[in-house]
Amino acid sequence: MLGGYTGKILFVDLTKGAITEESLPETVYRDFIGGIGLGVRILYERMKPGADPLGPDNMLGFVTGPLTGTAAPASGRYMVVAKSPLTGAWADSNSGGSFGPELKAAGYDGVFFSGISPKPVYLWVSSGKAELKDASHLWGKDTYGTDDTLHRELNDPRARIACIGPSGESCSLIAGIITEKGRAAARSGLGAVMGSKRLKAVAVKGDKKVAVANAEALRAPREAAIKSFQENDFQKGLYALGPGGGTSSLVSIGECPVKNWSLFGVESMPTCTNHDAANMEKYKVRRYACHGCPIACGAILEVKEGPFAVGEVHRPQYETSGAFGTMCLNDNSESVIKINDICNRYGIDTISAGGTIAFAMECYERGIITDRDTDGIKLTWGNAEAVVAMLEKMVRREGFGAVLADGAKKASEQIGKGSEQYAIHVHGRELPMHDTRNWPARAAGYLVDAEASNHAFSDPAMMLDMGIPLGFDPALQAPKVEMHGDYEDKGPLYKMGFEFFELLSSAGMCAFTAVFNPGVPVAEFVAAVTGWDFTWLEGLNAGHRILTLRQAFNAREGLTPDGFELPARVVLAASSGPNAGVKVDISALKTHCFAALGWDLKTGKPYRRTLMNLGMDDLTKDLWEEAPGS
């Protein structure tokens, strides 16, 4: 018996209200693993090219990996996939908590939606059965209210609910999907896809145990991985203070942007230390962990008094503190806790929302917009009250908030007056809080990945850049190279890091496990769980296959690499701070990454030989007949 998978996928046609169940061949699972890989395999084959991201032909998938819900550590992840309404490109967003394991326990590896429902609905999946239910009474509720109401109606506290709030309902292009009142599949506007389909929520509950082919073989790598987490400084830091533990340290090394990417280093904002998680410990109510995770990096906070008082909420992660803190010169940590609550309640991406408000603040400083435009809100740098007030307008699409609700690029197109140069994004998606001048691998992740400005994608490549192995056979790895040069050598190095990330993520493991940690035996986990004779080489090949099909998805949509460019402010050498004078050769880096991956830099199409070597020549016939190369 094949372990790790239920072998069943749900397909829901919302227009017709029809639900069907399919079993996929084992070769599909083995070639594409699960999660992002299984998602792109299904969407590429079944979705029409040129589909309107907010129309009926776009498919939205919730997908698990083979490790999701097993005893493999930190394997509580699930992925959401679709065509992004924010960028028009491939989109996947990764989230934790318990929703993914519960979907698997309910009997399905994934569920895919197409069409548009004539009225608001939610999907209820319970122990191998699925039905669409009326959600008219839920429409307009925030994610917390939706979660509470469904738990009462379903009369089951074990049910796990992925839902959208008002931002998703209004199709804000930066809306996300929320589970457990704060676990977010936030990026690329996937909440807007749910809203466009009038799909308010997906609720799941299961009683099936995920089959493991060889539990004994799983034990040793599991124990070794947990031991590595306990000994690794990064994972120990996650346990102690969470992902936002060292915001000021990242500012100090030039990793974290300040004042909409215009300033750098602690001297540009000495009070950035306020956003270190140690300063939020006084608000901590309790810690928590995602399903099966020994790291336990989450925490619930409560601010009991003051202008930003808020009940029990999830602790902000680093990206949120950077986006609404340093990017806005806002040093009030209580305001960021409140902001995190607003974003979770309304279902909106904190990275994009914070980056967009920072853009608006720069426009305000430069006189491009005034109090008349901003509904009287004074968007001065560091004005925490103004940031909160404008965010509340954004999530409701009210007044000037409606201009900002679709992200910085769309806002700059409406505002005009030269504001475009202050909108920091790649292909419409706001940059995360990681400077390419600190690590060139970040630039590769922002520009080479099919999903624009993807920082997590570049983490393993950054580790290899530093000479840190990733747990697989050293013979497979390229040598360490100098950080700011030798781009030709970096191509194969980064390719391997990207492949590793796709394998790790598609298998259902958390990316935090691999940061600064060489001891993540994901291939061994996959082999033990599935029963396959699965090697690291096969795993990295699967990662390359997933990367390439995501790129083929974009190429088939007519998207070319020249449309994925870093804004000038991020490319120019910084004039101050720890990275002063550093300039990454973006052109060389991009050229050699595309060459290493076997993709054409001009058209974006994977070369025909690449597709054939990966066994995807038949799947991609619509693309490779016109692809360059031989």
Side-chain angles (χ1 to χ4, degrees):
M1 178 182 177
L2 180 66
Y5 302 102
T6 70
K8 295 189 294 185
I9 304 287
L10 280 176
F11 291 91
V12 182
D13 184 328
L14 291 166
T15 301
K16 298 178 181 178
I19 302 173
T20 57
E21 182 182 293
E22 292 187 28
S23 295
L24 303 179
E26 183 178 335
T27 54
V28 172
Y29 286 108
R30 187 152 185 170
D31 285 348
F32 291 93
I33 310 300
I36 297 168
L38 191 58
V40 71
R41 175 64 171 78
I42 288 172
L43 263 62
Y44 192 93
E45 182 178 42
R46 302 182 185 225
M47 199 172 118
K48 296 177 182 178
D52 178 354
L54 298 178
D57 292 331
N58 195 9
M59 292 183 70
L60 176 75
F62 293 73
V63 205
T64 65
L67 304 183
T68 304
T70 71
S75 57
R77 312 300 291 186
Y78 75 97
M79 280 61 74
V80 187
V81 299
K83 181 180 178 180
S84 170
L86 181 65
T87 66
W90 170 259
D92 55 65
S93 198
N94 191 312
S95 186
S98 300
F99 178 88
E102 203 66 33
L103 175 59
K104 187 87 76 72
Y108 299 99
D109 295 317
V111 54
F112 290 81
F113 297 89
S114 60
I116 293 177
S117 174
K119 65 179 182 180
V121 293
Y122 72 92
L123 182 73
W124 171 227
V125 184
S126 176
S127 301
K129 297 181 181 179
E131 61 178 317
L132 287 168
K133 290 178 166 285
D134 183 28
S136 299
H137 63 300
L138 300 172
W139 207 253
K141 288 183 179 293
D142 65 26
T143 63
Y144 297 9
T146 300
D147 194 279
D148 290 341
T149 302
L150 284 179
H151 275 115
R152 287 195 301 270
E153 289 183 5
L154 299 171
N155 195 29
D156 196 326
R158 283 187 50 220
R160 292 294 177 261
I161 296 152
C163 62
I164 56 171
S167 291
E169 292 176 5
S170 67
C171 293
S172 163
L173 299 187
I174 56 175
I177 300 166
I178 307 295
T179 64
E180 298 166 65
K181 300 182 178 180
R183 313 306 297 150
R187 306 228 66 198
S188 295
L190 294 174
V193 178
M194 278 186 74
S196 72
K197 294 183 177 301
R198 299 192 185 94
L199 176 65
K200 179 65 175 177
V202 180
V204 297
K205 194 208 78 168
D207 54 13
K208 301 180 185 297
K209 187 175 181 180
V210 180
V212 174
N214 192 337
E216 183 61 32
L218 182 61
R219 185 172 293 114
R222 179 180 185 274
E223 290 175 354
I226 292 173
K227 186 173 186 290
S228 76
F229 300 154
Q230 293 170 341
E231 295 175 349
N232 180 273
D233 287 342
F234 182 80
Q235 276 84 42
K236 285 194 292 186
L238 288 175
Y239 173 80
L241 296 171
T247 299
S248 65
S249 67
L250 292 178
V251 173
S252 71
I253 65 171
E255 180 85 355
C256 181
V258 180
K259 197 182 179 186
N260 197 31
W261 293 84
S262 66
L263 298 177
F264 313 93
V266 172
E267 63 275 12
S268 66
M269 187 183 175
T271 53
C272 66
T273 53
N274 290 1
H275 295 299
D276 290 347
N279 294 321
M280 297 186 185
E281 282 292 285
K282 57 182 172 288
Y283 307 117
K284 188 164 77 175
V285 177
R286 61 185 178 276
R287 71 167 64 248
Y288 70 86
C290 293
H291 176 95
C293 183
I295 299 173
C297 70
I300 300 297
L301 310 182
E302 183 178 16
V303 179
K304 294 184 177 180
E305 56 187 15
F308 304 114
V310 63
E312 293 190 3
V313 299
H314 289 256
R315 178 171 57 196
Q317 295 197 8
Y318 161 70
E319 300 286 349
T320 305
S321 292
F324 284 102
T326 62
M327 281 275 282
C328 299
L329 286 184
N330 170 24
D331 61 7
N332 188 305
S333 62
E334 291 185 352
S335 75
V336 174
I337 295 170
K338 174 69 173 179
I339 283 163
N340 198 48
D341 176 62
I342 294 169
C343 290
N344 288 337
R345 279 184 181 274
Y346 282 82
I348 200 166
D349 175 23
T350 61
I351 296 174
S352 284
T356 301
I357 288 182
F359 153 78
M361 295 178 94
E362 181 155 5
C363 289
Y364 187 88
E365 177 190 40
R366 295 177 179 275
I368 296 172
I369 57 175
T370 66
D371 290 350
R372 183 177 298 177
D373 301 297
T374 64
D375 310 316
I377 297 174
K378 297 187 180 301
L379 288 177
T380 51
W381 295 110
N383 187 340
E385 291 80 4
V387 174
V388 172
M390 186 54 70
L391 176 63
E392 289 178 332
K393 284 184 170 289
M394 281 179 67
V395 297
R396 297 186 178 102
R397 272 197 185 273
E398 294 176 355
F400 190 67
V403 175
L404 303 181
D406 293 325
K409 179 177 183 291
K410 292 289 186 183
S412 70
E413 291 170 355
Q414 289 191 58
I415 295 168
K417 303 178 185 177
S419 64
E420 296 83 357
Q421 62 187 303
Y422 310 118
I424 308 300
H425 64 88
V426 174
H427 204 73
R429 197 168 92 144
E430 288 73 18
L431 263 63
M433 307 297 106
H434 300 275
D435 199 314
T436 61
R437 288 159 293 202
N438 197 56
W439 293 109
R442 297 295 188 199
Y446 294 168
L447 302 176
V448 177
D449 186 32
E451 186 174 48
S453 65
N454 189 339
H455 72 286
F457 170 83
S458 63
D459 278 340
M462 188 180 77
M463 298 301 103
L464 288 172
D465 211 0
M466 299 172 67
I468 300 174
L470 294 172
F472 46 83
D473 183 350
L476 297 174
Q477 298 185 61
K480 181 182 178 183
V481 296
E482 290 301 317
M483 188 166 57
H484 293 294
D486 300 326
Y487 290 101
E488 187 169 0
D489 292 334
K490 282 179 181 289
L493 189 78
Y494 290 166
K495 168 181 176 286
M496 197 167 296
F498 301 158
E499 291 169 344
F500 176 86
F501 176 80
E502 294 301 335
L503 171 62
L504 182 84
S505 180
S506 293
M509 287 193 70
C510 177
F512 278 145
T513 61
V515 180
F516 296 109
N517 190 339
V520 186
V522 61
E524 287 86 346
F525 288 152
V526 172
V529 167
T530 62
W532 294 329
D533 181 18
F534 192 83
T535 66
W536 271 107
L537 183 58
E538 182 178 356
L540 294 178
N541 283 338
H544 192 189
R545 189 176 295 113
I546 296 164
L547 285 167
T548 299
L549 193 57
R550 291 162 79 246
Q551 179 62 24
F553 181 96
N554 279 4
R556 192 174 66 170
E557 293 294 325
L559 302 176
T560 54
D562 59 2
F564 291 72
E565 297 293 344
L566 284 169
R569 178 173 284 181
V570 179
V571 174
L572 296 173
S575 58
S576 62
N579 294 326
V582 172
K583 187 176 188 296
V584 177
D585 189 340
I586 298 297
S587 177
L589 186 149
K590 196 171 179 181
T591 296
H592 293 299
C593 282
F594 268 73
L597 289 161
W599 307 342
D600 181 65
L601 185 59
K602 182 177 180 181
T603 66
K605 294 181 180 181
Y607 289 122
R608 179 176 177 180
R609 63 178 178 269
T610 303
L611 295 165
M612 294 182 72
N613 288 339
L614 293 170
M616 296 195 296
D617 47 320
D618 188 59
L619 177 63
T620 57
K621 280 189 296 188
D622 57 342
L623 182 76
W624 70 257
E625 287 175 350
E626 299 179 4
S630 59

